[in-house]
């Protein structure tokens, strides 16, 4: 029996309910996540040039993205870029790679651009749409965002040949609002920011994951959940981390219920980093 199986069996669960890996199967559709997903779907449906969804680290953006990928129509070709960096020209090479367009690194920028344009026109002629998704888009520079905007100028009559979906942390939203990116902002047709969960939603979220894993949802007391919300700031990934640590402590103490005292033990031992101050990034 694996450690994970032993952990789950201790609570009568099928699996660990609070792993840190994004898992669409565990997604709880909070009001904010429903709205964020609706914006993503609207961007696709309306053929928006650029759609932007932002949220704090661990807010559930990647899980939403994975859910979106599973719901794409067959006529949509998707290219995915994560953590793209570099100067002018480097981003275009990332784009070509994401779309499986073969290109020599030493080819001139104009030749790379022509390769992309020819590819997009070919896909359009074959009745396919091309969507480029950039995850962790806050890592892009001002020049990188401007380069992306220029790519959205490739069109055929009134149809967009390339749609962009940008997923990132709150600083991406702040970047887009800068005066030098006003042309980029004008191309953003749909945008949404995922806020942290409030206390009520945090409780629903914890109980949802417990029930999804085969539990009753009552494995955590109300006071334990209140403390978890206060220390996590309502950020889903931090909620998961603190809940997971608390369940490990419960197993080691042979407790069947996670109460406030167990959560406090985790906090006192310093193995969980509390909510960061405004302007700082939460731990992954």
């Amino acid at each position: 029996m694996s450690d994970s199986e032993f952990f789950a069996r201790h609570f009568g669960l099928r699996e660990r309910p609070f792993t840190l890996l994004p898992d669409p199967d565990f997604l709880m559709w909070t009001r904010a996540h429903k709205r964020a997903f609706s914006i993503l779907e609207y961007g696709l449906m309306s053929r928006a040039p650029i759609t932007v969804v932002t949220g704090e680290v661990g807010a559930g953006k990647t899980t939403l993205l994975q859910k979106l990928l599973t719901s794409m129509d067959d006529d949509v070709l998707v290219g995915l870029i994560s953590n793209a960096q570099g100067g002018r020209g480097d981003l275009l090479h990332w784009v070509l790679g994401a779309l499986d367009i073969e290109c020599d690194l030493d080819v001139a920028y104009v030749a790379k651009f022509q390769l992309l344009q020819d590819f997009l026109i070919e896909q359009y002629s074959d009745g396919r749409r091309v969507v480029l998704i950039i995850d962790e888009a806050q890592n892009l520079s001002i020049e990188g965002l401007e380069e992306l905007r220029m790519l959205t100028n490739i069109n055929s009559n009134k149809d967009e040949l390339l749609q962009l979906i940008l997923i990132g942390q709150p600083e991406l939203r702040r970047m887009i609002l800068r005066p030098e990116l006003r042309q980029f902002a004008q191309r953003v047709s749909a945008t949404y920011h995922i806020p942290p969960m409030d206390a009520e939603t945090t409780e629903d979220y914890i109980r949802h994951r417990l029930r999804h894993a085969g539990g009753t949802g009552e494995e955590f007391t109300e006071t334990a959940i209140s403390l978890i919300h206060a220390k996590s700031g309502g950020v889903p990934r931090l909620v998961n981390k603190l809940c997971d640590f608390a369940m490990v402590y419960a197993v080691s103490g042979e407790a069947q219920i996670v109460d406030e005292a167990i959560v406090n033990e985790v906090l006192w031992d310093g193995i969980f980093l509390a909510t960061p101050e405004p302007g700082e990034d939460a731990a992954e």
Side-chain angles (χ1 to χ4, degrees), residues 3-17:
D3 291 341
S4 182
E5 289 171 331
F6 175 78
F7 176 94
R9 186 165 296 182
H10 175 85
F11 291 98
L13 308 177
R14 292 188 302 271
E15 56 187 314
R16 293 181 80 155

Side-chain angles (χ1 to χ4, degrees), residues 4 21 37 54 81 95 125 140 152 175 192 201 206 209 243 284:
S4 182
L21 294 176
F37 195 76
T54 57
I81 298 175
V95 171
S125 298
L140 296 174
T152 65
M175 283 175 63
Y192 186 76
T201 305
I206 290 172
R209 292 189 73 101
C243 285
E284 281 282 356

Side-chain angles (χ1 to χ4, degrees), residues 55-257:
E56 294 290 349
V57 173
K61 303 184 298 298
T62 300
T63 305
L64 279 175
L65 181 54
Q66 290 183 350
K67 182 70 175 178
L68 180 70
L69 289 173
T70 63
S71 64
M72 292 282 194
D73 293 333
D74 293 337
D75 65 344
V76 178
L77 177 66
V78 179
L80 177 62
I81 298 175
S82 296
N83 294 303
Q85 299 180 30
R88 174 172 163 76
D90 292 328
L91 183 57
L92 180 53
H93 205 85
W94 280 83
V95 171
L96 294 173
L99 296 173
D100 292 327
I101 303 172
E102 293 187 6
C103 177
D104 190 332
L105 281 171
D106 297 326
V107 169
Y109 184 89
V110 172
K112 292 179 183 177
F113 187 89
Q114 189 64 51
L115 277 173
L116 176 61
Q117 181 168 270
D118 292 345
F119 175 82
L120 295 176
I121 292 173
E122 179 184 357
Q123 297 302 311
Y124 179 76
S125 298
D126 291 340
R128 287 189 291 270
R129 290 189 291 144
V130 179
V131 177
L132 184 65
I133 300 174
I134 299 98
D135 198 8
E136 301 296 343
Q138 76 281 346
N139 293 330
L140 296 174
S141 64
I142 298 292
E143 293 75 17
L145 290 174
E146 266 298 289
E147 188 171 354
L148 284 177
R149 181 185 69 81
M150 295 299 293
L151 297 184
T152 65
N153 289 335
I154 303 175
N155 54 52
S156 176
N157 297 322
K158 295 182 179 179
D159 291 329
E160 300 286 344
L161 298 191
L162 178 65
Q163 290 181 256
L164 302 179
I165 295 177
L166 274 60
I167 310 292
Q169 295 173 31
E171 51 264 42
L172 172 63
R173 191 180 182 91
R174 293 193 289 269
M175 283 175 63
I176 293 172
L177 293 175
R178 292 174 61 165
E180 56 266 46
L181 282 175
R182 61 185 179 277
Q183 288 183 298
F184 183 94
Q186 290 170 2
R187 299 288 284 167
V188 177
S189 300
T191 180
Y192 186 76
H193 178 73
I194 304 172
M197 299 183 292
D198 59 21
E200 181 180 355
T201 305
T202 298
E203 180 173 356
D204 291 343
Y205 173 85
I206 290 172
R207 300 202 188 283
H208 163 81
R209 292 189 73 101
L210 289 165
R211 286 191 291 267
H212 187 83
T216 65
E218 302 300 322
E219 289 81 5
F220 282 66
T221 66
E222 287 191 13
T223 53
I225 291 175
S226 294
L227 181 57
I228 289 166
H229 174 262
K231 295 301 181 181
S232 68
V235 176
R237 187 172 299 172
L238 295 182
V239 171
N240 283 9
K241 185 180 291 187
L242 186 47
C243 285
D244 199 50
F245 282 142
M247 294 184 83
V248 169
Y249 272 47
V251 171
S252 66
E254 299 184 354
Q256 297 297 319
I257 298 293

